[in-house]
Amino acid sequence: MNIEDIQTICRQFSGVTEDIKWGHDLCFSVGGKMFCVVGVDEVPTSASFKVLDEEFDEISEWPYFKPAPYVAKHKWVLCEDISKMKKTDWKKYMKQSYELVREKLPAKIKKQLG
C-alpha cells in the first residue's frame, strides 16, 4: 500500500474532498469532516482513521497501530506504516471510517451529498 492506493480508495466514496492540512497531512473529508489523514512527509508513511467504538481497543494493540494522537477520544487509530496492512483491509476500514463520519453529519448536508 502507498499514498496513491489510499487516494484511489477514498476518491470512490460520494462527496469526498481532499486537501493538505497543517502543511504536510493529506486529509480526506466528507461534508467538511475528516475521515482519513495521511502523513505524506513521514517515513514510513502513516495514516489515521476512525473505527467502531468496539474495535478501538483491539485495533490499537495491533502491530504498527496505536491510538491516534489528539483524536483517540473519538476512536481514531494511527497506522504507523501503511504498507503493513493489506489493501482489502484498507478498503474495509476506509469505507467504515467514511460511513461513521458521514452518518453523524447534519441531515441537510447528507441530503446535499446524495
Side-chain angles (χ1 to χ4, degrees):
M1 283 297 297
N2 58 42
I3 293 170
E4 291 78 17
D5 292 330
I6 292 176
Q7 283 179 302
T8 299
I9 292 167
C10 292
R11 287 174 178 168
Q12 294 175 7
F13 308 133
S14 176
V16 168
T17 59
E18 64 181 273
D19 65 335
I20 299 291
K21 293 192 188 312
W22 311 294
H24 54 79
D25 289 326
L26 177 59
C27 300
F28 296 93
S29 303
V30 59
K33 301 291 183 179
M34 293 182 292
F35 69 92
C36 178
V37 178
V38 180
V40 295
D41 290 343
E42 297 178 12
V43 178
T45 303
S46 67
S48 299
F49 52 94
K50 186 168 179 57
V51 297
L52 294 170
D53 290 359
E54 57 269 20
E55 295 175 326
F56 178 76
D57 290 333
E58 178 187 344
I59 294 173
S60 294
E61 293 180 12
W62 289 357
Y64 303 101
F65 279 81
K66 66 181 184 180
Y70 311 110
V71 288
K73 67 182 177 182
H74 301 291
K75 306 305 182 201
W76 278 62
V77 294
L78 171 68
C79 177
E80 297 175 312
D81 183 347
I82 63 173
S83 71
K84 301 298 183 185
M85 193 161 76
K86 292 185 243 174
K87 190 171 190 173
T88 54
D89 290 333
W90 275 109
K91 287 179 180 180
K92 171 188 172 183
Y93 287 108
M94 289 304 91
K95 181 166 180 55
Q96 178 177 277
S97 182
Y98 166 85
E99 290 174 352
L100 287 168
V101 171
R102 190 179 193 280
E103 73 185 30
K104 293 203 174 203
L105 294 172
K108 181 180 177 181
I109 294 175
K110 282 194 249 187
K111 187 176 180 181
Q112 291 171 348
L113 293 170

